[in-house]
Amino acid sequence: MDSTHPTPCSFCGNAEFKPVTTQYIYQRHGQLMVVDDVPALACTNCGETYFDVATLKRLEARFVAIYEHGSTPTEQRTVPFERWEALRNAG
């Protein structure tokens, strides 16, 4: 992935981006998949992250392989969940 992006940042309007790797959380119908070290472009001004279509399609294909076709993920972790209402009212 190079540092070109076809449009300015949708958050701040900046036109400069830098290649980065980041964690991507794919969520659909209450099911999650977390992928580390995903290539992306980040706005050099505000840090908003953009992914190319090929990367997103590959992430989706892996999600479907795991959840719909029984493929084994590289690693399985337990993730805690909270509801905002419980946190908001906690001391």
Side-chain angles (χ1 to χ4, degrees):
M1 179 174 275
D2 62 27
S3 60
T4 59
H5 191 265
T7 60
C9 177
S10 59
F11 285 87
C12 72
N14 180 45
E16 295 182 31
F17 298 85
K18 65 180 178 180
V20 297
T21 58
T22 189
Q23 186 178 74
Y24 189 91
I25 300 173
Y26 192 107
Q27 179 179 348
R28 187 171 67 187
H29 306 298
Q31 297 171 313
L32 298 170
M33 180 180 74
V34 179
V35 182
D36 284 331
D37 304 320
V38 178
L41 291 176
C43 173
T44 59
N45 183 55
C46 73
E48 181 62 21
T49 307
Y50 296 85
F51 301 91
D52 69 28
V53 172
T55 299
L56 294 174
K57 286 183 178 184
R58 186 174 227 169
L59 291 169
E60 181 175 23
R62 184 64 180 145
F63 182 91
V64 168
I66 291 168
Y67 282 104
E68 295 180 15
H69 302 293
S71 184
T72 303
T74 305
E75 184 178 347
Q76 191 83 27
R77 296 182 188 175
T78 302
V79 179
F81 281 85
E82 294 283 355
R83 295 200 183 274
W84 173 245
E85 191 66 27
L87 296 176
R88 185 173 60 122
N89 295 325

